[in-house]
Amino acid sequence: MMNGSGKVMARRLVKQLGPRLFSKSTITSGVGVGGLVESRTGGSVVEWMQRPVAGVRYASSLALDKGDKVVKKQTTTGDAEKKESPETAITSYWGVGPSKITKEDGTEWKWHCFRPWETYQADTSIDLKKHHAPTTFLDKLAYWTVKSLRLPTDMFFQKRYGCRAMMLETVAAVPGMVGGMLLHCKSLRRFEHSGGWIKALLEEAENERMHLMTFMEVANPRWYERALVFTVQGVFLNAYFLAYMVSPKFAHRVVGYLEEEAIHSYTEFLKELDMGNIKNVPAPAIAMDYWRLPPGSTLRDVVMVVRADEAHHRDVNHFASDIHYQGRELKESPAPIGYH
């Protein structure tokens, strides 16, 4: 414990030095005057880190602006300002920093939203014509609910399939996240495993989000289409949440039929590309890496793999609904994790 004079000295030192952001330097010496820790990074640079006994830890609330972060350091000639890139400045004494990842060919991996081990080659040979014929009341309700949503979508987007795909993915990425979250909470309440279904549904949500990240590179939605996303997503998220709480088998059946409609939409997208009505531009770089597409791939190849993904999601959700129809829970059947 410091006496009264020690605390006064510490306060004066902190006031003179001002707030100091932590750097990536390692601590090479012990406790200094007034409860401060001295750290040397080499040369004449001396940085000070404030211990909890001296007050607030400034770097624990580090926030970066859009521009470069200005970091002040104490040198032998006084305070000097040094600009660092956001990636460098964001590294704090917590030790959580960006890791360097490389591809198989040794080049640096540039995507932060997914890693090389999360990439895959889509199975485009999957049967696209599979259809679950509605027989029960809930099935028919799910089927016609989805069909009723298609009419306003066709009227609004017409032949603008790029923006249509973006809107579709902002909705399609919601069910997996909602279902995974509710299963997660259920698993916690009941102290039981989920059979892998939490991970399977979250994988679906992430895959759909990656579709959106891809189409953002080739489509330019108008301002009112962006505004529409807020409205549709807000309504659909809450509606699907309530539907899943009341009847998971109905909710999964709705998604199964939504995926069938997605397959139809992407098939029409391909027709427009083949007729030349939509320019078949080179595949975005993010799509090349995510689906491991070969060099020279185009937008048509991207639509092909996205359509295959939707067919797999169709199968998973109809399968989940069938499990509930048999009076069983999802955890009783192993989840199709990694089913692409």
Side-chain angles (χ1 to χ4, degrees):
M1 299 292 293
M2 293 188 297
N3 54 26
S5 60
K7 291 181 179 179
V8 172
M9 183 182 296
R11 293 193 191 99
R12 288 178 179 175
L13 280 172
V14 172
K15 185 176 181 180
Q16 292 174 0
L17 293 174
R20 296 287 180 261
L21 295 177
F22 293 108
S23 72
K24 295 186 291 186
S25 60
T26 56
I27 299 175
T28 57
S29 59
V31 179
V33 181
L36 296 176
V37 178
E38 183 182 8
S39 173
R40 298 183 182 273
T41 59
S44 61
V45 179
V46 179
E47 298 177 349
W48 294 88
M49 295 195 301
Q50 185 180 359
R51 289 169 61 88
V53 295
V56 180
R57 295 176 298 180
Y58 294 96
S60 62
S61 60
L62 175 62
L64 296 178
D65 297 324
K66 292 182 179 179
D68 292 335
K69 184 67 182 181
V70 177
V71 181
K72 289 186 177 181
K73 293 186 176 181
Q74 178 74 14
T75 68
T76 55
T77 58
D79 285 346
E81 293 186 354
K82 177 182 177 182
K83 284 191 175 183
E84 296 185 357
S85 65
E87 190 172 85
T88 301
I90 203 169
T91 304
S92 70
Y93 85 105
W94 298 112
V96 181
S99 57
K100 186 176 181 180
I101 301 175
T102 58
K103 297 182 182 180
E104 295 178 355
D105 59 5
T107 57
E108 186 175 357
W109 184 260
K110 62 180 179 179
W111 308 108
H112 296 310
C113 52
F114 65 101
R115 299 305 192 199
W117 51 86
E118 296 175 312
T119 64
Y120 63 96
Q121 290 180 316
D123 177 19
T124 55
S125 64
I126 188 171
D127 187 356
L128 301 172
K129 297 181 179 180
K130 279 186 178 179
H131 169 67
H132 177 82
T135 54
T136 66
F137 170 75
L138 284 180
D139 280 0
K140 293 177 180 179
L141 179 61
Y143 178 79
W144 288 110
T145 297
V146 173
K147 283 295 184 182
S148 65
L149 295 175
R150 178 177 169 180
L151 180 61
T153 304
D154 289 342
M155 293 176 61
F156 186 82
F157 290 102
Q158 298 180 0
K159 298 293 183 179
R160 301 181 66 240
Y161 285 101
C163 291
R164 183 190 184 111
M166 289 188 64
M167 173 61 75
L168 177 67
E169 300 302 344
T170 61
V171 173
V174 170
M177 184 59 66
V178 172
M181 178 193 69
L182 291 176
L183 287 180
H184 174 76
C185 293
K186 182 179 179 180
S187 175
L188 297 177
R189 290 195 308 271
R190 296 189 176 184
F191 305 95
E192 63 185 18
H193 292 286
S194 70
W197 280 93
I198 296 174
K199 186 174 183 179
L201 293 178
L202 293 182
E203 275 186 354
E204 176 188 313
E206 175 62 12
N207 181 248
E208 298 284 12
R209 192 184 66 84
M210 287 303 300
H211 293 174
L212 175 62
M213 297 298 104
T214 298
F215 284 115
M216 282 172 54
E217 302 294 325
V218 296
N220 186 25
R222 297 163 182 168
W223 68 268
Y224 55 84
E225 291 171 336
R226 291 176 178 269
L228 184 62
V229 170
F230 281 86
T231 304
V232 173
Q233 188 181 80
V235 173
F236 183 74
L237 187 147
N238 287 282
Y240 190 79
F241 179 89
L242 293 175
Y244 205 99
M245 290 287 290
V246 174
S247 176
K249 60 185 175 183
F250 169 74
H252 281 293
R253 192 69 80 199
V254 167
V255 179
Y257 287 131
L258 277 174
E259 300 296 357
E260 291 184 16
E261 290 299 324
I263 294 170
H264 172 77
S265 293
Y266 285 118
T267 299
E268 294 299 313
F269 197 162
L270 288 171
K271 290 179 181 179
E272 293 296 311
L273 283 167
D274 292 339
M275 290 187 295
N277 296 331
I278 299 176
K279 188 176 180 180
N280 191 23
V281 298
I286 191 172
M288 297 287 290
D289 286 338
Y290 185 68
W291 283 285
R292 302 178 191 171
L293 297 176
S297 295
T298 62
L299 177 58
R300 190 182 193 282
D301 299 307
V302 174
V303 176
M304 289 282 289
V305 295
V306 170
R307 184 177 64 171
D309 285 347
E310 305 295 4
H312 286 84
H313 299 327
R314 170 204 63 193
D315 296 349
V316 170
N317 281 277
H318 279 316
F319 174 54
S321 183
D322 289 345
I323 293 174
H324 284 292
Y325 265 105
Q326 294 172 15
R328 304 170 68 181
E329 294 190 19
L330 293 181
K331 66 175 183 176
E332 298 179 45
S333 178
I337 298 175
Y339 178 64
H340 294 299

